[in-house]
Amino acid sequence: MTDDNDATSRYRAPALEKGLDIIELLASSASGMSLTAIASTLGRSMGEIYRIALALEARGYIRRDQRSRPICADAEALRAVA
């Protein structure tokens, strides 16, 4: 029999975890955040955050305000998958 903690650490999906961290952070932010603020808050590099954010935006999970440029979680998309 395997220990749950051992199995959890062995079968991690780091990219998925980063994406979920971003979505959860943005869902808790009323006014959105910049990529720099997201990277700083999560303790990740801008490159990591940028690549994951592009994928999340392409799939409609997050959106960028075209005027002021903060990134926000897309509430409708998140409700659809909940």
Side-chain angles (χ1 to χ4, degrees):
M1 188 152 95
T2 62
D3 181 354
D4 284 340
N5 290 333
D6 186 39
T8 300
S9 64
R10 187 179 322 155
Y11 298 111
R12 292 183 63 221
L16 175 59
E17 290 176 2
K18 289 176 204 172
L20 292 173
D21 287 344
I22 292 170
I23 291 170
E24 290 171 357
L25 179 63
L26 292 173
S28 69
S29 172
S31 58
M33 299 176 78
S34 67
L35 285 174
T36 303
I38 294 168
S40 176
T41 301
L42 296 177
R44 302 285 186 175
S45 73
M46 277 291 292
E48 287 177 293
I49 297 303
Y50 179 76
R51 289 187 303 273
I52 299 291
L54 281 180
L56 292 172
E57 187 174 21
R59 290 184 168 247
Y61 290 102
I62 63 174
R63 59 183 164 72
R64 193 180 305 239
D65 184 300
Q66 295 305 315
R67 288 178 295 129
S68 57
R69 305 297 287 169
I71 299 171
C72 302
D74 190 303
E76 289 181 33
L78 295 178
R79 275 193 293 275
V81 297

